[in-house]
Amino acid sequence: MARIIIYNTTVLTLDDGDSFYYPGTVKIEQDRITKVYHGSPSEELLEDTSLTVLDGTDKLVMPGFVDLHFHTSVAKGFGDELPLKEYLDEVWYPSVRALNNERAFTGAMHSYCTAIKSGTTTVNDMYRFVGSLADAASKIGIRAVLSNEVALAEHKLDVIEDNEESFLQNNGRDSDRIRVWMGHEWMCTSNLELMAQVGQMKKKLGTGLHIHLSESEQEVQEVQASYGKTPVEIAYESGCLGPDTVAAHCVHLTDRDIELLAKTNTSVSYDPGSNAKLGNGIARLQDLQAAGVNVGMGIDAFECENSPDMFELMKFGSLIQRALHKDASLAKPHDVLRMATKNGAKALGIDAGAIQPGKKADLIVVDLAKNQMFTPLLKEPKKRKTMLESHLVFGCNGSAVQHSIIDGRLVMKDFRVLAVDEEALRKEMDAMFKVISEEMKTLKIDGSA
């Protein structure tokens, strides 16, 4: 039985009561947090050889990040100057068409490794060769919700039968740490019939749905021209919205769209870095939250963001809202932290996202002495908590994450992911993409998106 104790530390719980412990202790048994309390454990407990003991001096324990919109990636830094539709046609679709099981596994191992190193403990990953993604998640130890890129067959991505097979073969692996949802690429590679079929398959399998909605103005205009409805309205009429659906992006929404998302308890992934880099705009975050929509945060593909770092995403996601609305009171660190952790866990139906007894032990330990990122820092608990929240959102990056515990297992210790040879993985990715980049030239399809 895995047993871990972190002592003499600062604990930012992000629980409903906004509890804060300094100094505090966190105890983990098997896959759950069992105790969180002020002070330090007894010397006798610390000498228990059946325990993994982590000294939390000058450290912070907090929930791990839930990356609510994620794609395994192989082509980061390639074609960065292109807008969304051209980027998909020139880079994304050709690169994923070049995949096979082995390449998907390597890409997932690299993507999951870099995500873990910057504090992510759960990914909601839509990609291809889901069995290979599940193998990678199993080996490296990350929590993963996986789905296929379902589109019409002519686009040479995945079809609905691929996703059904993925579910039947992989859902519930590793004591339910790995789940499979339905996926839907977007309406530009779909039609009304396919969207309805996705909704029906979601219901048949009793699983969730990961879907792109209203990412760009061009997408919304094309869909309305073809069907007289917005992508959100089509998803609603197809039975694709609901409390077990995560809608990514949702940048260009009508008031009616927001009403439908709220009415159906659909969660939204706020992806500000990707949306800005691809020139798609800024989501109506304040309006979504005011309507009661559960909003989490996502990196998207590394190709669309160039970094897996959720700390950087929190900062950018807050600042861009303040700049847009000319209001420094918006997107407070206290709230943004919850978007990136517990809101994402809620969206995926995972009993995590807070440091409290009974919750899944998905947490990270942050080095508060790393590169002066958390200096100055007061010791009085209330002021310390407020300053920590500010430092985490506005002044920190993922290099400060020292340990990562996922499902009660120590997955990263002292800045090193335990299941991989990181240098060998880096070389393997470089070599693989050299081959893929050549194959991509022959895998473009005119009008593929």
Side-chain angles (χ1 to χ4, degrees):
M1 180 178 71
R3 300 172 70 218
I4 302 172
I5 195 162
I6 311 166
Y7 74 99
N8 194 37
T9 193
T10 301
V11 186
L12 185 65
T13 67
L14 303 183
D15 65 11
D16 291 340
D18 209 20
S19 306
F20 182 75
Y21 300 85
Y22 174 69
T25 296
V26 178
K27 188 176 181 183
I28 296 164
E29 298 189 40
Q30 294 186 320
D31 62 337
R32 300 279 173 173
I33 298 166
T34 55
K35 290 184 180 180
V36 186
Y37 55 91
H38 288 288
S40 296
S42 66
E43 289 297 325
E44 181 181 5
L45 185 60
L46 293 178
E47 292 171 0
D48 185 343
T49 57
S50 69
L51 275 174
T52 297
V53 178
L54 300 176
D55 184 350
T57 304
D58 291 328
K59 318 291 183 192
L60 166 73
V61 177
M62 64 173 284
F65 294 117
V66 177
D67 192 332
L68 196 54
H69 180 51
F70 186 95
H71 296 283
T72 284
S73 304
V74 296
K76 181 179 75 174
F78 194 84
D80 277 352
E81 74 286 354
L82 297 171
L84 176 63
K85 193 168 183 183
E86 289 81 355
Y87 176 80
L88 291 171
D89 289 346
E90 295 291 322
V91 179
W92 181 259
Y93 291 140
S95 73
V96 299
R97 291 185 188 116
L99 294 172
N100 55 32
N101 278 303
E102 182 180 357
R103 292 172 179 179
F105 176 82
T106 298
M109 285 294 290
H110 183 264
S111 297
Y112 299 162
C113 178
T114 52
I116 288 169
K117 288 182 72 68
S118 54
T120 294
T121 53
T122 298
V123 291
N124 185 28
D125 186 6
M126 182 194 295
Y127 206 51
R128 305 191 64 210
F129 297 95
V130 165
S132 295
L133 309 186
D135 289 344
S138 178
K139 180 176 180 178
I140 205 166
I142 202 166
R143 189 178 301 282
V145 177
L146 307 173
S147 56
N148 292 74
E149 291 198 359
V150 173
L152 293 169
E154 65 202 60
H155 298 289
K156 300 186 184 305
L157 299 171
D158 288 343
V159 294
I160 200 165
E161 291 79 11
D162 294 320
N163 210 152
E164 181 181 19
E165 182 181 5
S166 297
F167 178 89
L168 295 175
Q169 293 186 356
N170 297 286
N171 186 55
R173 286 180 57 174
D174 288 19
S175 301
D176 207 36
R177 178 166 55 79
I178 299 167
R179 298 178 184 174
V180 177
W181 280 17
M182 290 300 299
H184 183 271
E185 177 61 356
W186 64 335
M187 277 302 298
C188 295
T189 55
S190 184
N191 59 23
L192 296 180
E193 182 180 4
L194 179 58
M195 180 78 91
Q197 290 173 346
V198 168
Q200 291 162 9
M201 184 61 71
K202 168 180 174 286
K203 184 176 180 180
K204 173 186 172 182
L205 298 177
T207 192
L209 171 64
H210 186 185
I211 187 171
H212 298 86
L213 287 176
S214 302
E215 182 175 0
S216 73
E217 278 187 322
Q218 182 180 8
E219 167 202 353
V220 174
Q221 290 168 358
E222 288 183 5
V223 171
Q224 286 183 314
S226 297
Y227 304 109
K229 300 170 185 175
T230 69
V232 173
E233 289 171 334
I234 293 171
Y236 174 72
E237 293 176 5
S238 302
C240 287
L241 301 185
D244 51 359
T245 292
V246 171
H249 301 297
C250 295
V251 177
H252 299 281
L253 300 177
T254 65
D255 290 345
R256 173 63 175 160
D257 289 340
I258 294 176
E259 289 174 8
L260 292 174
L261 293 168
K263 173 184 176 180
T264 55
N265 293 315
T266 299
S267 293
V268 167
S269 179
Y270 173 49
D271 312 320
S274 167
N275 296 334
K277 180 171 178 258
L278 291 167
N280 287 322
I282 304 172
R284 295 172 60 183
L285 177 61
Q286 321 307 320
D287 295 334
L288 286 164
Q289 291 174 328
V293 175
N294 179 55
V295 181
M297 299 189 76
I299 290 287
D300 203 349
F302 297 173
E303 285 97 333
C304 306
E305 166 74 10
N306 294 73
S307 168
D309 196 329
M310 292 283 284
F311 288 100
E312 294 178 358
L313 188 71
M314 288 193 297
K315 177 177 182 176
F316 184 74
S318 174
L319 297 187
I320 201 169
Q321 291 291 330
R322 295 178 181 208
L324 174 67
H325 298 287
K326 301 181 179 64
D327 186 346
S329 71
L330 299 179
K332 295 179 175 64
H334 176 91
D335 299 320
V336 175
L337 281 162
R338 284 156 178 77
M339 289 170 57
T341 54
K342 67 185 304 180
N343 288 12
K346 177 182 177 181
L348 297 176
I350 299 167
D351 191 17
I355 307 297
Q356 67 184 76
K359 290 288 187 183
K360 282 280 190 179
D362 291 3
L363 54 87
I364 57 176
V365 181
V366 179
D367 183 355
L368 298 180
K370 184 75 169 179
N371 296 333
Q372 308 297 326
M373 284 187 277
F374 294 89
T375 305
L377 188 59
L378 296 170
K379 292 189 175 182
E380 191 278 317
K382 186 173 181 180
K383 293 178 181 178
R384 184 181 184 87
K385 175 179 173 295
T386 300
M387 292 186 76
L388 275 171
E389 291 176 338
S390 176
H391 290 328
L392 287 167
V393 173
F394 296 130
C396 182
N397 63 57
S399 69
V401 180
Q402 183 172 356
H403 311 302
S404 177
I405 296 168
I406 303 173
D407 213 31
R409 292 177 52 218
L410 193 60
V411 171
M412 182 172 72
K413 184 177 182 182
D414 292 326
F415 308 101
R416 185 175 70 85
V417 178
L418 300 179
V420 299
D421 180 334
E422 294 181 25
E423 180 60 15
L425 183 60
R426 181 185 68 81
K427 292 178 180 178
E428 189 174 356
M429 274 294 297
D430 280 349
M432 183 179 76
F433 186 66
K434 181 180 180 181
V435 176
I436 286 177
S437 65
E438 290 300 315
E439 294 182 9
M440 286 166 59
K441 298 172 184 177
T442 66
L443 292 170
K444 298 174 185 178
I445 299 176
D446 291 339
S448 65

